[in-house]
Amino acid sequence: MSASIYQRPKNAMQSGKALIDQWVLEFAAAEAKKPDPLMGWAGSGDTRQQVTLKFPTKEEAMAYAERYGIEAVVHATPPRRLKIQAYADNFR
């Protein structure tokens, strides 16, 4: 059983900083999705793909994974780059 731990990225439609300090643990897919013969929707019997665990810190997420024997890969958070510009820069 493997999982990935990462910090929740900011949504493209989001201007504030709500919920970006949470750390998320998501399980990797154990089996490939296949189309349903009747409806054609993609699905699988792996229910762990539906589980998303949220933690306030990276250390708590790693401790949870270690406690339950989950092989977790921690993805580093990319640095935030601010593009500071004035309104007048739109007319240059």
Side-chain angles (χ1 to χ4, degrees):
M1 178 173 12
S2 63
S4 61
I5 298 173
Y6 61 92
Q7 194 170 17
R8 181 185 296 242
K10 190 167 125 176
N11 187 345
M13 300 298 294
Q14 181 179 1
S15 62
K17 295 182 180 178
L19 302 178
I20 63 169
D21 55 346
Q22 287 184 347
W23 286 84
V24 179
L25 184 140
E26 283 186 345
F27 293 98
E31 66 181 55
K33 292 186 178 184
K34 53 188 176 275
D36 181 52
L38 180 62
M39 298 297 291
W41 295 341
S44 70
D46 184 22
T47 56
R48 287 183 301 195
Q49 290 180 357
Q50 301 170 5
V51 177
T52 302
L53 301 173
K54 300 174 186 109
F55 298 93
T57 63
K58 176 175 69 172
E59 289 76 22
E60 288 184 27
M62 290 173 25
Y64 178 87
E66 185 177 322
R67 186 178 331 126
Y68 290 103
I70 301 168
E71 298 173 15
V73 177
V74 179
H75 298 283
T77 305
R80 293 190 191 118
R81 285 178 253 128
L82 297 176
K83 183 179 176 185
I84 300 173
Q85 67 181 32
Y87 178 72
D89 292 340
N90 293 333
F91 304 101
R92 291 184 186 183

